[in-house]
Amino acid sequence: MKLATRTTKIAASPTLQMAATVKALKAQGIKIFDFAAGEPSQNTPDCVNQAAYNAIQANFTKYTAVTGIDELKEAIIETFQRTHQLNYDKSQILVSCGAKHTLYNFTQAALEAGDEVIVPSPYWVSYPDQIALTEATSVILKTEESSHYAIDPSLLDSLITPKTKAIILNSPCNPTGSMYDRMTLESVAELALRHDLLIVSDEIYEHLVYDGHQHTSIASLGPEIAKRTLVVNGVSKSYSMTGWRIGYAAGPKDLITAMGHIQSQSTSNPTSISQKASVAALQEGQQFIKGMVQELSAQRTLMVNRLNAISGITCPMPRGAFYALPNVSSLIGRRHAQGTITSPSELAHYLLTEAKVACVAGEPFGAPEHIRLSYTPDLSVIDQGMDSLARAIQALQ
Ligand code: PMP
Ligand code: GLU
């Protein structure tokens, strides 16, 4: 079959592919230490489930307004006011089928052939592919492990051309766990104003921060910058609701309207029941987040300390999100019975087969010397998984 050329520009999401491989192995009865999944392991909070049951019982099971129900938009607006003192009206909010869908709506509404989008690397796997689908170009802004993956404003400045349309920020970042401080955000904001750029700020991990680090939304730096920022967020990570598929955006009205039109002609509204559940999450889920962050913080420390104890691996302590990104470059070239490890993807494959440890290779994140491990499983799984991983690494020659 002759498929559209655009299909050749993207691949299936490598994170979801690895998740599917793990599911298939588990279905065969094979025990896997699953550090691949980009989702919390906690159950969805009871208050959220209850709101969903109530919605079903009330037959709230029909199409809703395409862009989301008023009640959820109001809860989102209230959340932005409470957390960032940001004021939006309903015409500036779009509820979509997950933050990934929010971002997709953005790329389709804002980008076209000839546009350039600056993407700091390492980046979440879906940004470049969604950009590629619009025939715009991703311009990669490299950041370094040695400086906690901070953005260098002068490097950013040097990448801006008349074609630059937008920059994507993701803080806390998947996969690095880094966060941008206020000073960096002010420099990015200043450049965006000077060069008339849109900012997409993916803040889906905003509540998952450790050691007293503070998340700042770039949109909160002032009204001029808020006017050119699309804040992307959702309930997947903070409320352990990855399967419910609710993401949202707040931003300039004309952009939100155009994104809504694309949604109107593609998915229509996000699931009615999930929207009701998300109202409960935003209004009643704050205690749940606190508990989850405490657990994640202990899991993070255990995993990162165990990784750093393995000869050949170094891993900085992440500040937010729930991923460790160890540098495995000194393992490249080592041999095992079946061959030589020549890349992080081969290492990930070796770890899955030899150690039953699932992780995601760094290459599709723009991290060619790394592998990504989620520290979402509980402490005992991390402990045993790290034992198994250490044994497999020690066995390399
Ligand atoms: N942004 C980032 C950085 C992510 O890691 C994810 C995880 N899937 C998303 C957006 C999308 O999340 P979801 O579609 O589940 O809301
Ligand atoms: N964001 C998660 C991850 O990076 C979930 C999978 C996906 O949507 O890519 O693993």
Side-chain angles (χ1 to χ4, degrees):
M1 192 192 297
K2 166 106 179 61
L3 297 173
T5 312
R6 79 176 71 86
T7 62
T8 64
K9 295 188 178 154
I10 61 162
S13 162
T15 49
L16 295 178
Q17 253 182 337
M18 185 50 109
T21 304
V22 172
K23 277 199 177 79
L25 290 170
K26 283 182 181 167
Q28 291 169 37
I30 301 170
K31 186 175 170 198
I32 302 289
F33 300 106
D34 183 5
F35 306 124
E39 60 184 352
S41 56
Q42 283 78 3
N43 289 334
T44 303
D46 288 341
C47 62
V48 173
N49 291 336
Q50 191 57 53
Y53 301 141
N54 294 348
I56 294 171
Q57 257 157 4
N59 288 308
F60 192 74
T61 52
K62 303 286 164 45
Y63 293 134
T64 72
V66 166
T67 60
I69 56 174
D70 278 354
E71 197 186 346
L72 179 52
K73 287 189 185 175
E74 279 154 17
I76 292 167
I77 289 168
E78 200 275 317
T79 303
F80 276 115
Q81 272 165 348
R82 178 166 39 84
T83 52
H84 300 298
Q85 294 75 52
L86 279 166
N87 294 309
Y88 295 104
D89 63 48
K90 280 186 221 150
S91 66
Q92 294 180 284
I93 306 291
L94 173 65
V95 184
S96 302
C97 312
K100 186 183 278 186
H101 183 222
T102 306
L103 288 157
Y104 181 77
N105 284 330
F106 162 75
T107 54
Q108 292 296 318
L111 305 179
E112 58 199 349
D115 289 338
E116 293 176 356
V117 181
I118 297 181
V119 183
S121 78
Y123 42 74
W124 180 46
V125 292
S126 291
Y127 301 144
D129 281 26
Q130 290 196 353
I131 292 166
L133 280 175
T134 70
E135 295 185 33
T137 307
S138 299
V139 175
I140 302 304
L141 165 60
K142 268 198 80 169
T143 67
E144 301 298 334
E145 192 179 321
S146 54
S147 56
H148 288 283
Y149 300 104
I151 286 179
D152 172 353
S154 53
L155 185 56
L156 168 58
D157 196 9
S158 73
L159 296 178
I160 297 171
T161 75
K163 292 179 181 172
T164 310
K165 185 84 181 263
I167 169 160
I168 299 190
L169 301 181
N170 175 214
S171 179
C173 174
N174 172 8
T176 64
S178 61
M179 294 173 68
Y180 300 134
D181 60 24
R182 207 181 169 86
M183 239 168 64
T184 306
L185 294 175
E186 279 167 356
S187 308
V188 174
E190 194 270 311
L191 286 170
L193 285 171
R194 190 170 355 131
H195 297 280
D196 190 20
L197 308 182
L198 267 168
I199 297 171
V200 178
S201 184
D202 180 347
E203 302 181 8
I204 192 134
Y205 296 100
E206 72 165 326
H207 297 301
L208 309 183
V209 297
Y210 315 102
D211 301 337
H213 288 290
Q214 291 287 326
H215 165 76
T216 305
S217 176
I218 191 164
S220 70
L221 296 184
E224 284 310 309
I225 199 70
K227 266 192 225 156
R228 57 179 63 248
T229 302
L230 185 77
V231 182
V232 175
N233 212 320
V235 296
S236 285
K237 316 288 175 176
S238 297
Y239 305 97
S240 203
M241 291 176 67
T242 47
W244 298 74
R245 311 308 304 129
I246 296 290
Y248 54 85
K253 188 176 166 191
D254 48 353
L255 176 59
I256 291 286
T257 305
M259 289 166 63
H261 289 168
I262 286 169
Q263 180 160 308
S264 164
Q265 295 291 11
S266 48
T267 60
S268 306
N269 61 277
T271 308
S272 57
I273 300 155
S274 295
Q275 290 190 66
K276 285 282 193 184
S278 299
V279 173
L282 293 176
Q283 291 178 343
E284 301 166 47
Q286 308 323 303
Q287 218 35 48
F288 172 82
I289 295 179
K290 276 202 183 125
M292 185 164 68
V293 167
Q294 257 177 14
E295 287 174 26
L296 283 171
S297 178
Q299 289 158 203
R300 172 192 70 135
T301 310
L302 176 65
M303 180 182 274
V304 172
N305 289 345
R306 294 291 312 266
L307 286 168
N308 279 316
I310 300 170
S311 161
I313 291 187
T314 56
C315 185
M317 190 60 80
R319 295 175 175 175
F322 42 55
Y323 307 101
L325 192 71
N327 188 315
V328 293
S329 54
S330 52
L331 300 177
I332 306 302
R334 293 208 193 164
R335 290 193 315 276
H336 55 97
Q338 278 76 43
T340 305
I341 305 285
T342 61
S343 63
S345 336
E346 280 182 17
L347 180 64
H349 181 73
Y350 169 75
L351 291 175
L352 186 60
T353 43
E354 283 308 306
K356 305 290 177 267
V357 164
C359 62
V360 189
E363 293 98 320
F365 295 91
E369 299 188 331
H370 301 78
I371 54 174
R372 189 197 78 170
L373 296 98
S374 305
Y375 47 84
T376 48
D378 66 31
L379 291 170
S380 66
V381 175
I382 293 179
D383 205 35
Q384 291 168 43
M386 290 301 109
D387 283 345
S388 184
L389 182 137
R391 274 195 300 273
I393 303 278
Q394 270 151 22
L396 290 170
Q397 309 267 299

